[in-house]
Amino acid sequence: MTLPRGYLTLATGRPAFLEMAVDMVLSLKEHTSLPVGVACDEGLAEVARDRYTSVFDRVTTIPERFLGGRTRKFGVAEASPFEETVFLDADCIVLESIDELFESLDGCDLAFLGSQLTVAEDHNHHGFSTRWLMRKFGLDSYLKTNSGVFCFRRGPAVEVMEAFRTCHEEEARPRLRGSILLGRWLGDEIAIGIVGGRLGLCSMPFPNTMYWPQEFDSIDLQKPAKPLLHFIWPPSPELLEELLEGMRRRRTAAGVGGSAEEHWRAEARSLEQMKRRRRRLERIGWW
């Protein structure tokens, strides 16, 4: 049975991703009464149903055709058990209520965190010039987004996310593959940007939902200025320890075992390496 409204996250591949989803969902449930689901591959879905029934209100599976490469997230529309969904990446921690994000669907079937850009504006998106991308793919606009959070109505979103998958596999990846050698990142957001520009997809009316890299040094978990912390930039060692302590506290309170602590630490180390790499590319003008 499809429910009217709820949150959804994604966990496929390694068990550590499911453990991260547990931590994200426990933080989210401190700030919402809406149901929360997880979309998995078959293997992790079995683990989630067996081990974490008290955490996830629904466990669904991602269709097989989305499980390769960078297209997993495009399967969440088909996998969603809700008519209206707010999707959150598993590497997020929710600090305050984000229920207002459902208002993004007032008069809009899909809404992304970001903005529609024209050729008059030139932004850096994962190392790519958005103006260059628009010219290469014949676009009048480009949806620059962070796909860590977005909203959708299930029915219309199924068709659009299939278009994301097709664009990634048949256009973006073949035509931009060489750009990886320049330090650019060819993830799911490039296909979203291309298709989102073609279709004129909506932006969320809440641009201050998530902390951006330049704001990480100012994060105060006791008095958060924003409700969503997405692991897109390395947290300070002190902030990381505070986040981990909160994860341990929530698992204990929920009577949930397991831990993703080592994976969170590994993620922070990987982000630190990414930060240093990006700084080097900036110095030589490649980013």
Side-chain angles (χ1 to χ4, degrees):
M1 182 183 72
T2 303
L3 300 177
R5 178 176 281 185
Y7 291 91
L8 186 67
T9 191
L10 175 67
T12 63
R14 290 187 289 164
F17 294 136
L18 179 60
E19 295 295 336
M20 293 178 78
V22 169
D23 289 324
M24 189 282 287
V25 170
L26 290 177
S27 74
L28 172 60
K29 286 195 166 187
E30 290 187 327
H31 305 287
T32 188
S33 60
L34 291 170
V36 185
V38 62
C40 304
D41 54 45
E42 292 287 352
L44 288 188
E46 185 176 346
V47 176
R49 294 188 184 106
D50 179 62
R51 190 178 300 170
Y52 293 124
T53 54
S54 65
V55 177
F56 303 111
D57 299 298
R58 289 293 186 93
V59 178
T60 61
T61 54
I62 294 287
E64 185 71 26
R65 69 184 184 282
F66 293 101
L67 289 177
R70 295 287 181 179
T71 63
R72 292 174 175 83
K73 198 175 293 185
F74 304 152
V76 299
E78 285 193 36
S80 180
F82 310 114
E83 293 294 339
E84 294 184 350
T85 303
V86 168
F87 174 85
L88 291 172
D89 270 346
D91 59 342
C92 292
I93 296 297
V94 180
L95 307 177
E96 292 183 322
S97 174
I98 54 173
D99 284 353
E100 67 177 3
L101 293 181
F102 284 97
E103 297 174 23
S104 302
L105 295 175
D106 291 346
C108 190
D109 291 325
L110 292 91
F112 288 84
L113 189 66
S115 59
Q116 288 279 3
L117 304 176
T118 68
V119 291
E121 305 159 283
D122 191 19
H123 291 214
N124 184 317
H125 198 204
H126 299 305
F128 292 95
S129 156
T130 56
R131 181 181 294 156
W132 181 84
L133 286 170
M134 281 184 265
R135 288 172 175 164
K136 189 170 184 66
F137 291 94
L139 306 174
D140 293 323
S141 64
Y142 176 87
L143 179 61
K144 182 183 179 183
T145 182
N146 180 291
S147 63
V149 54
F150 55 88
C151 314
F152 60 89
R153 286 196 175 88
R154 186 182 186 280
V158 168
E159 182 177 356
V160 174
M161 291 194 186
E162 183 64 37
F164 291 162
R165 185 186 71 84
T166 301
C167 176
H168 178 81
E169 294 185 348
E170 298 181 8
E171 293 185 85
R173 189 172 61 181
R175 297 178 66 181
L176 301 174
R177 190 188 303 272
S179 297
I180 297 172
L181 300 175
L182 300 177
R184 296 165 181 159
W185 186 65
L186 185 54
D188 51 39
E189 291 167 10
I190 302 300
I192 294 173
I194 295 168
V195 175
R198 286 172 179 161
L199 299 181
L201 297 182
C202 297
S203 298
M204 289 182 181
F206 307 100
N208 295 319
T209 296
M210 193 175 81
Y211 282 100
W212 300 105
Q214 64 271 21
E215 300 169 319
F216 266 53
D217 288 342
S218 65
I219 294 175
D220 181 351
L221 296 184
Q222 306 310 311
K223 297 179 180 179
K226 295 187 174 184
L228 188 63
L229 195 164
H230 186 193
F231 267 58
I232 58 173
W233 199 249
S236 68
E238 296 77 16
L239 177 59
L240 178 61
E241 293 307 318
E242 193 174 357
L243 288 166
L244 292 172
E245 175 56 34
M247 295 172 196
R248 289 190 290 266
R249 172 184 57 78
R250 285 186 286 269
R251 282 184 182 250
T252 298
V256 173
S259 173
E261 182 168 330
E262 288 308 312
H263 193 73
W264 287 108
R265 291 187 186 280
E267 185 75 4
R269 290 192 296 270
S270 176
L271 288 168
E272 189 62 49
Q273 293 172 354
M274 177 271 292
K275 176 182 175 181
R276 291 195 295 268
R277 184 169 61 251
R278 184 175 299 181
R279 294 292 185 244
R280 289 195 297 269
L281 292 172
E282 287 172 349
R283 284 196 294 271
I284 62 176
W286 283 13
W287 191 276

